[in-house]
Amino acid sequence: VKQIFDMYQKGYGYTSIAKYLNNKGVLSPYEYKKASGSKFVCGLVTSSKSYWNRDTIAKILKDEVYIGNLVQGKTRNLSYKNHKSIPVPKEDWIIVEKTHEPIIDMETWLAVSHKFQGRVKPKSSGKIHFFSQKVYCAECKKVFHHSVSKSGNGNVFHYLGCSTVKKGAPLCDNRFAIRMDYLEQFILEEINQYIKAYHDSDILTNQF
């Protein structure tokens, strides 16, 4: 945990830290629990082995348990009949300070928190892109995720790439990414080929 905070302070991103820990053979939290004899079962683990990934790193860097605080009430059930968990706003969490020995000192915690506040996130239009949940990895069968890259001259390009690789877990070697505008053009060309092959102007004229 201390190394994760130290690396993040030095400028390493979530994925870089996850890859480093995986390459070093450091057990992920789930694998550590299994090795310690815990019967804990995580529904998010879909393979025979769990690896470090960017989501786990982000969760650790934001968990107040490492500065000695007890945090409860992050989720709640929809009802006493429906046990599906839903997130609770942070202002409604139950936080008790200094319940145990901290792993991370307050100076480090505040420095990392300050970096979070400085992270610039792109504004969302509220729209789901056309290829969402439609493009999958040929190797691990996981959905391709959207990412954005900005060139030196200011041009912005949108890409789709394997979500497994993006998270930093060594479960897939497919590092191929495709520009969304290229994919869109390819699909339009395929549609036009079908139109040329099956278009019948006489049928369309009679129907409309």
Side-chain angles (χ1 to χ4, degrees), residues 152-168:
N153 58 11
N155 292 327
V156 176
F157 300 101
H158 296 261
Y159 290 86
L160 291 176
C162 179
S163 57
T164 304
V165 173
K166 188 176 180 180
K167 287 183 177 181

Side-chain angles (χ1 to χ4, degrees), residues 54 119-125 127 129 144-152 154-162 166 177-181:
R54 59 183 297 165
R119 290 170 65 92
V120 178
K121 295 183 179 180
K123 294 181 179 180
S124 173
S125 64
K127 296 181 180 180
H129 68 83
F144 267 29
H145 278 191
H146 170 237
S147 61
V148 179
S149 177
K150 190 173 182 179
S151 65
N155 292 327
V156 176
F157 300 101
H158 296 261
Y159 290 86
L160 291 176
C162 179
K166 188 176 180 180
I178 184 171
R179 272 176 49 177
M180 288 176 63
D181 55 338

Side-chain angles (χ1 to χ4, degrees), residues 180-192:
M180 288 176 63
D181 55 338
Y182 289 171
L183 180 58
E184 182 177 347
Q185 184 60 38
F186 173 78
I187 292 174
L188 286 175
E189 290 174 358
E190 288 293 307
I191 292 174
N192 286 331

Side-chain angles (χ1 to χ4, degrees), residues 30-65:
Y30 180 67
E31 292 298 325
Y32 178 79
K33 288 177 182 178
K34 287 201 304 182
S36 302
S38 172
K39 302 297 182 182
F40 173 77
V41 176
C42 179
L44 298 177
V45 178
T46 57
S47 60
S48 59
K49 186 175 181 180
S50 170
Y51 292 91
W52 290 95
N53 61 62
R54 59 183 297 165
D55 296 335
T56 307
I57 301 299
K59 183 178 179 181
I60 287 175
L61 289 169
K62 297 174 183 178
D63 197 336
E64 291 189 30
V65 70

Side-chain angles (χ1 to χ4, degrees):
V1 170
K2 290 181 179 179
Q3 188 168 18
I4 289 172
F5 274 83
D6 181 60
M7 291 181 70
Y8 187 77
Q9 272 193 288
K10 291 178 178 178
Y12 290 87
Y14 302 153
T15 301
S16 297
I17 297 173
K19 288 180 177 178
Y20 174 83
L21 295 174
N22 286 324
N23 291 336
K24 289 291 183 180
V26 179
L27 294 178
S28 68
Y30 180 67
E31 292 298 325
Y32 178 79
K33 288 177 182 178
K34 287 201 304 182
S36 302
S38 172
K39 302 297 182 182
F40 173 77
V41 176
C42 179
L44 298 177
V45 178
T46 57
S47 60
S48 59
K49 186 175 181 180
S50 170
Y51 292 91
W52 290 95
N53 61 62
R54 59 183 297 165
D55 296 335
T56 307
I57 301 299
K59 183 178 179 181
I60 287 175
L61 289 169
K62 297 174 183 178
D63 197 336
E64 291 189 30
V65 70
Y66 300 117
I67 56 172
N69 295 347
L70 176 64
V71 183
Q72 295 179 310
K74 290 183 179 182
T75 62
R76 65 176 177 83
N77 294 337
L78 280 172
S79 69
Y80 73 94
K81 290 184 178 180
N82 189 337
H83 296 290
K84 181 179 179 180
S85 296
I86 58 173
V88 173
K90 188 172 182 179
E91 57 266 24
D92 295 329
W93 292 359
I94 301 171
I95 302 176
V96 183
E97 298 182 351
K98 300 179 180 179
T99 59
H100 54 274
E101 187 73 23
I103 296 176
I104 301 300
D105 62 79
M106 189 55 64
E107 183 181 354
T108 300
W109 174 264
L110 293 175
V112 168
S113 298
H114 182 71
K115 287 196 67 175
F116 287 144
Q117 295 171 6
R119 290 170 65 92
V120 178
K121 295 183 179 180
K123 294 181 179 180
S124 173
S125 64
K127 296 181 180 180
I128 299 175
H129 68 83
F130 178 78
F131 296 113
S132 176
Q133 303 297 317
K134 296 183 178 71
V135 184
Y136 291 81
C137 178
E139 293 189 21
C140 70
K141 311 304 179 186
K142 296 293 184 181
V143 69
F144 267 29
H145 278 191
H146 170 237
S147 61
V148 179
S149 177
K150 190 173 182 179
S151 65
N153 58 11
N155 292 327
V156 176
F157 300 101
H158 296 261
Y159 290 86
L160 291 176
C162 179
S163 57
T164 304
V165 173
K166 188 176 180 180
K167 287 183 177 181
L171 298 172
C172 182
D173 294 322
N174 183 11
R175 302 191 178 279
F176 172 79
I178 184 171
R179 272 176 49 177
M180 288 176 63
D181 55 338
Y182 289 171
L183 180 58
E184 182 177 347
Q185 184 60 38
F186 173 78
I187 292 174
L188 286 175
E189 290 174 358
E190 288 293 307
I191 292 174
N192 286 331
Q193 290 299 321
Y194 277 103
I195 292 175
K196 289 180 180 179
Y198 298 104
H199 170 73
D200 190 320
S201 57
D202 293 334
I203 293 178
L204 291 175
T205 300
N206 292 333
Q207 287 184 343
F208 299 102

